Amino acid sequence: MEQKNIQEGKSIAWLSYLGILILIPLLVQKDNPYTKFHIKQGLILLIISIGWWFIFLLLIFIPFLRTIVYFLSYLVSLFVFVLMIIGIVNSLQGKTDCLPLIGKYGEKMNF
């Protein structure tokens, strides 16, 4: 990846990991390969967060699963938060490292 793209993208690529704020880099620097990489990584993270939220809302109404669902919700939230921090740090340092466990799915996205 060219150093020019990295320098241009570092200022805004980190927003890709902050939920709905992914729209800002998507609209501003969609053609920058560095920003595009981090948009894809952030999008996978957002999909996981939204997917878990729907699963949580469905399972929370089952009385005998409630405690397990709350515990899993804590773990998933912690996992997503750690990946957000990793992604933000990587984007600010100019790295294009995939997020652990889920990053490989972001590379397969085309847009």
Side-chain angles (χ1 to χ4, degrees):
M1 194 158 309
E2 293 181 22
Q3 194 65 25
K4 177 186 171 206
N5 290 331
I6 293 172
Q7 291 305 318
E8 288 176 2
K10 277 184 1 181
S11 63
I12 201 164
W14 65 275
L15 290 172
S16 301
Y17 297 99
L18 298 177
I20 194 69
L21 293 179
I22 195 172
L23 292 174
I24 295 171
L26 184 62
L27 296 173
V28 174
Q29 290 187 349
K30 182 182 179 183
D31 296 329
N32 183 326
Y34 179 77
T35 306
K36 196 173 192 177
F37 172 83
H38 288 289
I39 289 170
K40 290 177 182 181
Q41 297 290 302
L43 188 59
I44 291 296
L45 198 56
L46 182 61
I47 289 169
I48 288 172
S49 298
I50 293 171
W52 171 251
W53 182 248
F54 281 116
I55 293 169
F56 175 79
L57 288 177
L58 290 174
L59 295 178
I60 198 67
F61 295 109
I62 303 172
F64 62 90
L65 289 180
R66 193 169 291 153
T67 305
I68 296 169
V69 171
Y70 279 125
F71 179 72
L72 285 175
S73 181
Y74 172 74
L75 292 178
V76 170
S77 298
L78 183 63
F79 176 71
V80 168
F81 180 72
V82 168
L83 290 181
M84 282 174 47
I85 298 299
I86 292 171
I88 290 170
V89 169
N90 283 344
S91 66
L92 290 173
Q93 291 180 347
K95 296 180 182 178
T96 54
D97 297 337
C98 290
L99 293 173
L101 300 176
I102 65 168
K104 61 185 173 189
Y105 301 109
E107 289 182 334
K108 297 177 183 177
M109 298 175 84
N110 292 320
F111 62 89

